Amino acid sequence: QVQLKESGGGLVQPGGSLRLSCAASGSIFSSYVMGWYRQAPGKEREWVATCTSGGSPTYADSVKGRFTISRTNANNMVYLQMNSLKPEDPAVYYCYARRVGASVASAYWGQGTQVTVSS
């Protein structure tokens, strides 16, 4: 069983930055693929970024060049550094974890953290 808890959301002005954190429990954390999704009101959940167990990142085009995903297996953490935040970025951001080769449908999810971008 893997449990995830996000933190770091909040209110930021356009162009600002936030760093989201996700704390994972479970001794098998290092073997899991970790990532972030987001969901804005009235919209479907949208993939944001993924980080493999080896630390290789991939990003949605909408955040590429602005967001950076990273992880530290030693303390079971995954992060999302968000820079140059835009008015289209506000959403609830969810951390997820899945086994290598498994689909997102079988992933573990956190409760989410709210990100608001407003002047």
Side-chain angles (χ1 to χ4, degrees):
Q1 187 75 14
V2 175
Q3 293 183 328
L4 305 171
K5 182 172 178 58
E6 304 94 336
S7 61
L11 172 64
V12 64
Q13 293 185 343
S17 298
L18 278 176
R19 188 193 196 204
L20 305 183
S21 299
C22 176
S25 65
S27 60
I28 53 176
F29 170 80
S30 62
S31 66
Y32 275 53
V33 174
M34 306 291 296
W36 295 88
Y37 271 70
R38 66 186 181 185
Q39 188 166 22
K43 295 187 177 181
E44 294 186 354
R45 194 170 289 194
E46 173 192 23
W47 170 68
V48 174
T50 295
C51 190
T52 67
S53 57
S56 296
T58 53
Y59 301 96
D61 287 343
S62 59
V63 306
K64 198 173 295 183
R66 300 187 297 122
F67 292 9
T68 302
I69 188 171
S70 60
R71 63 190 290 171
T72 53
N73 293 337
N75 61 354
N76 292 355
M77 296 292 294
V78 62
Y79 306 96
L80 186 68
Q81 177 67 43
M82 304 186 296
N83 297 330
S84 302
L85 282 161
K86 299 179 178 180
E88 56 263 37
D89 291 321
V92 177
Y93 282 70
Y94 297 92
C95 174
Y96 76 91
R98 61 171 176 83
R99 292 180 176 86
V100 175
S103 71
V104 171
S106 63
Y108 298 95
W109 294 91
Q111 297 284 338
T113 185
Q114 178 71 53
V115 171
T116 303
V117 180
S118 176
S119 56

